[in-house]
Amino acid sequence: YHAAVKSFYSQCPEAGSWDYRSQQKWLMQRCFGTFDAWDVALRAAGHESETIVANCEPLQHAWAGENQCCTVTGDMVLAQIISYRPDVVCCQNVNRYPASFFSPLTYQDRVPKIVAFCSYAADRGSLLGWDVVFTSFPWAVEEWRSVGVNVHYLPLAFGKHVLQRVALPYDRDIVVSFVGGLGYRHIWNSGQDAITAVAKALGSRFKWAGYGNGPDSAELASCWIGECWGHEYFRTLARS
């Protein structure tokens, strides 16, 4: 998400000088990553919930400055979690933060549950050690359970509050689109083949918006309309 951070802060350079809470609220409103979708749903169900954006350096440095914390990213993330004393920690990047990362989270009165949401290519070892893992991949449930992962299927959903934040276009000028990452054949080889076939079949009527390490076909290269993050991601979907 380095490109996403760069894109967001280039649109509003002064945001990097804001305090932590102002930056975090701005990022949530601009729909950075999965933004506060989990928070909105969990709060509506009566729970307290806070999102920590661990891969946004300007935001993390703001928190460190306000809390006299060292600037080592891992230490900052743990320090933020500890400051909330949560009952449950949900991690959305098991490759960067495996279950063992959260082992220091023990309090005198309890040990928080550690939960992962994983709908991406993950190292098998990174899926172990969690109290529970949720995935939106139906095929992954049986496969991961076979190696001892307590995994449950959780389909993706759309947060209606996005419609209150994003100015959507009136025209649907894209016949078919794919919005997401491409170019990682070691991860989604068959999926990329399918999208390439769609691009060949539809020609200029197909558009790809997103990021990657470079499309490996002329068809994909010709239909790429650029990266899209935050509000632009949802506007592109709405055009399709």
Side-chain angles (χ1 to χ4, degrees):
Y1 270 77
H2 294 297
V5 173
K6 183 178 179 180
S7 175
F8 273 74
Y9 283 85
S10 66
Q11 297 173 34
C12 185
E14 64 271 22
S17 62
W18 295 347
D19 62 80
Y20 174 81
R21 186 55 66 183
S22 296
Q23 285 192 54
Q24 198 236 20
K25 181 178 180 180
W26 170 70
L27 288 169
M28 299 301 100
Q29 289 292 322
R30 298 298 300 173
C31 298
F32 181 93
T34 56
F35 45 103
D36 58 350
W38 289 77
D39 295 336
V40 170
L42 288 168
R43 290 168 185 166
H47 304 286
E48 296 181 33
S49 181
E50 288 288 339
T51 293
I52 295 173
V53 187
N55 56 350
C56 180
E57 287 190 10
L59 180 67
Q60 290 298 310
H61 284 301
W63 191 90
E66 295 170 20
N67 292 274
Q68 294 78 52
C69 180
C70 67
T71 57
V72 178
T73 302
D75 289 347
M76 278 195 288
V77 172
L78 282 175
Q80 287 176 76
I81 296 172
I82 291 171
S83 71
Y84 288 114
R85 289 179 57 84
D87 296 310
V88 179
V89 177
C90 180
C91 174
Q92 297 192 59
N93 191 335
V94 300
N95 289 328
R96 184 171 183 178
Y97 301 108
S100 58
F101 173 83
F102 300 96
S103 58
L105 298 179
T106 57
Y107 317 126
Q108 290 183 344
D109 55 338
R110 56 195 164 86
V111 177
K113 299 292 185 181
I114 53 172
V115 175
F117 182 79
C118 181
S119 289
Y120 44 86
D123 298 328
R124 189 60 57 86
S126 299
L127 294 169
L128 300 174
W130 303 92
D131 290 298
V132 64
V133 175
F134 295 106
T135 182
S136 61
F137 292 155
W139 57 265
V141 176
E142 183 176 351
E143 180 179 324
W144 293 354
R145 282 179 179 170
S146 69
V147 294
V149 179
N150 180 21
V151 58
H152 294 271
Y153 175 60
L154 180 66
L156 296 178
F158 178 79
K160 292 190 294 184
H161 59 289
V162 169
L163 301 176
Q164 301 170 356
R165 298 179 181 178
V166 182
L168 299 177
Y170 291 102
D171 297 327
R172 292 197 169 190
D173 59 323
I174 300 176
V175 178
V176 178
S177 69
F178 171 76
V179 184
L182 287 177
Y184 304 97
R185 279 203 168 271
H186 63 292
I187 301 176
W188 306 124
N189 189 52
S190 60
Q192 186 151 316
D193 285 340
I195 292 171
T196 300
V198 173
K200 288 180 178 179
L202 295 179
S204 61
R205 293 175 295 168
F206 175 77
K207 301 298 179 185
W208 162 44
Y211 60 95
N213 62 0
D216 57 3
S217 71
E219 290 81 8
L220 289 177
S222 64
C223 68
W224 187 63
I225 59 175
E227 294 181 352
C228 60
W229 308 99
H231 288 192
E232 194 57 34
Y233 168 87
F234 291 104
R235 278 194 285 265
T236 302
L237 291 177
R239 291 172 56 196
S240 306

